[in-house]
Amino acid sequence: PKDFINYMLTGNYATDNLSAAGLVNLMDNKYYQEYFDILGIPLRIMPDVHGISEPMGKVSGEVSKLTGLAEGTPVVTGWMDTLCCSLGCGLVEHGLAFNYSGSSETICLASRDFSHAEGLVVGPVFDLFFIGGGASTSGYSLKWFRDTFGQTEREIESHTPNLSAYQLFDRMAATVPPGSEGLIFLPYLSGERSPIWDPNARGVFIGITKMHTRSHFIRAIMEGVAYSNRHICEIAEKASGIKVEGIRAAGGGAKSNIWNQIKADVLGKKYLRLKELEVGAAGAAMLAGMGAGIFKDQREASKNFVHVDEVIEPVMQNHAAYDKYFTIYKELYPLLKDTFARL
């Protein structure tokens, strides 16, 4: 999508190497000629491959009249959403990690060394490697619950300024002890990506008893997403040999104090909520600043853009309780995999 917008702004066709991954050798940014020979596709129709902070053109006179942007303004090639988020979180040094929480979820760490991590995505990020993965329906799982079962909260929201259904959910979740008294949620409402990569996977609540309330279900959703994050993080840590100390938190989900605390407790790591939560837009702006010569590199851009607003320390007593539930969480998918396929 950003390549199309860039084309409309400049009239030039261009992309970055990671958007063209699979067609382009990431080491030299050149297309694999043999693939195109096999497919019978001429290379001349493919877009040029540019660096992510490299200008790929300038705003045309026609577009200037339409938009008000100054003619000749440089347009930087840019990056895909998750990688812009990684830059917007300041993932520019070995050992740093971030968790972006939106409709879906991304958690990853940066390593100076390439490591194969089973079930995760590994790719170059400037002079480091991105090791991590994403859950398909994290915040969307909570939205699904709101839209399906949150009529009361939505009614209150409609009559109460500055109070959302999600804020009411936060209050309800806070009344339930860690582990939701044996209720576990698998957040697979749209299949799942990392680390299981199974489009047949389905959402599951398991452990329901007559004592469980709506508040338990809300907290179980938050915990299920946190278990997913821990699953990905543990694989990334093992593959890279890095022990993550703290995780930078951003995205709409990071607005929730209780959800940040649950994640910190489940993972047993500090969560560092950033001042600017819309880190995808921030990362894109940082790339533009680099391309325009305002910042010499990603590290200088990060120093100017990325600031920690709050540190959430894990409660280790809660972490010990979550260890037991996390073990059960990891056992559930292998037990249900064939059933999901049959469904």
Side-chain angles (χ1 to χ4, degrees):
K2 53 93 177 167
D3 294 338
F4 177 73
I5 293 171
N6 287 351
Y7 162 69
M8 295 297 289
L9 289 171
T10 67
N12 296 338
Y13 293 103
T15 191
D16 66 279
N17 62 352
L18 286 179
S19 291
L23 299 175
V24 167
N25 185 325
L26 298 182
M27 297 300 109
D28 62 13
N29 287 353
K30 293 181 179 179
Y31 287 104
Y32 288 110
Q33 179 68 56
E34 59 268 34
Y35 293 177
F36 291 85
D37 291 342
I38 291 169
L39 294 169
I41 297 173
L43 275 180
R44 69 175 183 274
I45 72 170
M46 298 303 293
D48 295 334
V49 180
H50 288 283
I52 53 174
S53 60
E54 179 184 337
M56 52 71 66
K58 296 182 178 181
V59 171
S60 68
E62 181 183 1
V63 169
S64 175
K65 294 175 184 176
L66 287 170
T67 64
L69 295 169
E71 183 177 358
T73 299
V75 177
V76 166
T77 308
W79 229 353
M80 64 182 72
D81 53 358
T82 299
L83 295 174
C84 277
C85 287
S86 75
L87 179 58
C89 283
L91 203 74
V92 296
E93 301 291 351
H94 174 80
L96 296 182
F98 87 94
N99 174 205
Y100 185 86
S101 183
S103 296
S104 58
E105 194 95 356
T106 301
I107 184 164
C108 77
L109 57 81
S111 172
R112 67 174 67 95
D113 303 311
F114 177 85
S115 303
H116 174 70
E118 186 69 33
L120 304 190
V121 177
V122 181
V125 180
F126 297 105
D127 54 354
L128 300 167
F129 290 95
F130 168 117
I131 305 174
S136 296
T137 48
S138 57
Y140 195 89
S141 293
L142 208 58
K143 180 182 184 298
W144 163 80
F145 190 89
R146 183 201 68 175
D147 294 347
T148 308
F149 302 109
Q151 293 88 344
T152 299
E153 288 74 25
R154 284 187 289 136
E155 180 68 18
I156 294 172
E157 179 182 66
S158 68
H159 293 96
T160 310
N162 303 318
L163 182 62
S164 71
Y166 295 115
Q167 289 171 315
L168 293 170
F169 284 170
D170 282 357
R171 296 179 186 181
M172 296 167 71
T175 66
V176 176
S180 300
E181 298 186 283
L183 182 63
I184 295 176
F185 175 64
L186 303 187
Y188 305 155
L189 299 189
S190 296
E192 187 53 300
R193 291 182 287 184
S194 306
I196 64 173
W197 299 99
D198 185 353
N200 292 321
R202 294 291 178 262
V204 173
F205 284 102
I206 192 165
I208 305 170
T209 70
K210 62 183 180 182
M211 66 169 287
H212 287 111
T213 65
R214 292 173 73 252
S215 297
H216 286 85
F217 282 83
I218 292 165
R219 186 177 182 107
I221 289 173
M222 294 179 173
E223 290 174 341
V225 172
Y227 295 143
S228 173
N229 283 347
R230 179 171 169 179
H231 197 182
I232 293 168
C233 188
E234 286 189 354
I235 296 172
E237 286 184 315
K238 183 177 180 181
S240 65
I242 294 170
K243 185 67 175 177
V244 172
E245 299 296 329
I247 297 174
R248 299 178 178 202
K255 296 177 183 178
S256 169
N257 291 330
I258 183 66
W259 210 346
N260 287 331
Q261 188 65 61
I262 287 171
K263 290 176 178 178
D265 292 350
V266 167
L267 277 79
K269 301 180 187 297
K270 291 186 292 186
Y271 257 64
L272 295 78
R273 178 162 53 193
L274 299 180
K275 188 172 183 179
E276 175 54 64
L277 297 181
E278 295 305 327
V279 289
M286 291 160 74
L287 290 176
M290 291 162 62
I294 297 170
F295 307 123
K296 67 177 182 180
D297 58 22
Q298 70 275 18
R299 292 180 174 88
E300 183 179 346
S302 179
K303 287 178 182 177
N304 282 273
F305 263 80
V306 183
H307 307 284
V308 175
D309 188 49
E310 181 183 5
V311 178
I312 299 98
E313 297 282 351
V315 178
M316 297 315 291
Q317 182 179 350
N318 293 346
H319 179 62
Y322 278 128
D323 276 345
K324 301 172 184 177
Y325 289 113
F326 178 63
T327 298
I328 298 171
Y329 170 88
K330 287 196 296 182
E331 292 170 350
L332 290 172
Y333 171 73
L335 291 172
L336 294 170
K337 179 179 179 179
D338 291 344
T339 302
F340 290 147
R342 291 168 60 198
L343 288 173

